Protein backbone atom coordinates (compact mmCIF):
# COMPACT_ATOMS: atom_id res chain seq x y z
CA UNK A 1 0.00 0.00 0.00
CA UNK A 2 1.00 3.60 -0.50
CA UNK A 3 -0.14 6.76 1.18
CA UNK A 4 0.41 10.47 0.90
CA UNK A 5 1.39 12.51 3.93
CA UNK A 6 -1.52 14.40 5.49
CA UNK A 7 0.64 17.47 5.83
CA UNK A 8 0.61 19.69 2.78
CA UNK A 9 3.57 21.80 1.73
CA UNK A 10 3.92 24.72 -0.61
CA UNK A 11 6.04 23.75 -3.59
CA UNK A 12 7.25 25.19 -6.88
CA UNK A 13 9.18 23.82 -9.84
CA UNK A 14 11.80 26.38 -10.81
CA UNK A 15 11.92 27.28 -14.49
CA UNK A 16 13.37 30.19 -16.43
CA UNK A 17 9.81 31.44 -16.91
CA UNK A 18 8.93 31.61 -13.19
CA UNK A 19 12.30 32.76 -11.83
CA UNK A 20 10.98 36.15 -10.63
CA UNK A 21 8.03 34.53 -8.85
CA UNK A 22 10.34 31.93 -7.29
CA UNK A 23 12.79 34.55 -6.07
CA UNK A 24 9.99 36.59 -4.48
CA UNK A 25 9.20 33.51 -2.40
CA UNK A 26 12.70 32.42 -1.37
CA UNK A 27 14.62 35.69 -1.46
CA UNK A 28 12.21 38.43 -0.34
CA UNK A 29 15.02 40.93 0.15
CA UNK A 30 16.38 40.54 -3.39
CA UNK A 31 17.42 43.88 -4.90
CA UNK A 32 18.36 45.19 -1.47
CA UNK A 33 21.84 46.55 -1.06
CA UNK A 34 23.19 43.30 0.41
CA UNK A 35 21.58 40.70 -1.85
CA UNK A 36 21.63 40.34 -5.64
CA UNK A 37 21.69 37.91 -8.55
CA UNK A 38 25.34 36.94 -9.03
CA UNK A 39 24.75 35.02 -12.28
CA UNK A 40 22.10 33.16 -14.18
CA UNK A 41 22.71 30.48 -16.82
CA UNK A 42 20.73 27.59 -18.33
CA UNK A 43 21.32 25.30 -15.34
CA UNK A 44 21.04 27.49 -12.26
CA UNK A 45 20.70 30.92 -10.77
CA UNK A 46 23.07 32.12 -8.06
CA UNK A 47 22.03 34.67 -5.44
CA UNK A 48 24.74 36.35 -3.40
CA UNK A 49 23.99 37.46 0.13
CA UNK A 50 26.83 39.64 1.29
CA UNK A 51 28.19 38.18 4.50
CA UNK A 52 26.26 34.91 4.01
CA UNK A 53 27.63 33.51 0.75
CA UNK A 54 26.00 32.33 -2.44
CA UNK A 55 22.78 30.33 -2.73
CA UNK A 56 22.24 28.23 -5.85
CA UNK A 57 18.81 27.46 -7.29
CA UNK A 58 18.60 24.86 -10.05
CA UNK A 59 16.23 25.05 -12.98
CA UNK A 60 13.77 22.18 -13.52
CA UNK A 61 14.07 21.09 -9.90
CA UNK A 62 11.33 21.24 -7.30
CA UNK A 63 11.52 23.25 -4.10
CA UNK A 64 9.30 22.25 -1.17
CA UNK A 65 8.76 24.73 1.66
CA UNK A 66 8.00 23.91 5.27
CA UNK A 67 7.17 27.33 6.68
CA UNK A 68 6.61 25.93 10.20
CA UNK A 69 10.16 24.59 10.27
CA UNK A 70 11.59 27.44 8.21
CA UNK A 71 13.13 25.07 5.67
CA UNK A 72 13.15 24.50 1.94
CA UNK A 73 14.32 21.32 0.25
CA UNK A 74 15.35 20.79 -3.37
CA UNK A 75 14.26 17.67 -5.28
CA UNK A 76 14.94 16.52 -8.81
CA UNK A 77 11.84 15.80 -10.84
CA UNK A 78 12.26 12.06 -10.23
CA UNK A 79 12.77 12.47 -6.48
CA UNK A 80 9.79 14.78 -6.21
CA UNK A 81 7.48 12.36 -8.01
CA UNK A 82 8.63 9.55 -5.68
CA UNK A 83 7.99 11.60 -2.53
CA UNK A 84 5.00 13.80 -3.30
CA UNK A 85 1.74 13.96 -5.13
CA UNK A 86 0.43 17.30 -6.39
CA UNK A 87 -2.98 18.22 -4.99
CA UNK A 88 -5.20 21.09 -6.01
CA UNK A 89 -5.74 23.84 -3.48
Amino acid sequence: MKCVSKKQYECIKLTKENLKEFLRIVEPYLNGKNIFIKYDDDIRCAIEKLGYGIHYYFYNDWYVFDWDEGTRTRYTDTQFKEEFEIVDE
Side-chain angles (χ1 to χ4, degrees), residues 2-63:
K2 294 183 181 181
C3 64
V4 176
S5 172
K6 290 183 181 180
K7 189 169 182 180
Q8 293 186 11
Y9 299 97
E10 187 175 339
C11 61
I12 187 170
K13 184 174 184 175
L14 177 59
T15 65
K16 282 281 208 182
E17 291 75 30
N18 72 359
L19 177 60
K20 287 183 181 182
E21 175 190 357
F22 177 84
L23 292 177
R24 276 194 297 273
I25 295 168
V26 299
E27 300 289 355
Y29 303 107
L30 189 65
N31 297 327
K33 59 183 180 176
N34 294 325
I35 182 170
F36 57 93
I37 295 176
K38 178 119 176 121
Y39 68 86
D40 181 14
D41 59 28
D42 290 335
I43 297 171
R44 63 187 176 184
C45 176
I47 305 300
E48 184 166 359
K49 294 182 178 182
L50 298 181
Y52 295 99
I54 296 175
H55 294 209
Y56 296 96
Y57 300 106
F58 294 83
Y59 292 115
N60 299 313
D61 280 354
W62 286 88
Y63 290 82

Side-chain angles (χ1 to χ4, degrees), residues 57-72:
Y57 300 106
F58 294 83
Y59 292 115
N60 299 313
D61 280 354
W62 286 88
Y63 290 82
V64 176
F65 306 99
D66 184 337
W67 298 119
D68 294 334
E69 297 292 324
T71 61
R72 64 179 172 254

Side-chain angles (χ1 to χ4, degrees), residues 66-82:
D66 184 337
W67 298 119
D68 294 334
E69 297 292 324
T71 61
R72 64 179 172 254
T73 307
R74 178 175 70 97
Y75 297 89
T76 65
D77 205 39
T78 302
Q79 291 169 325
F80 182 82
K81 288 175 183 173
E82 289 173 357

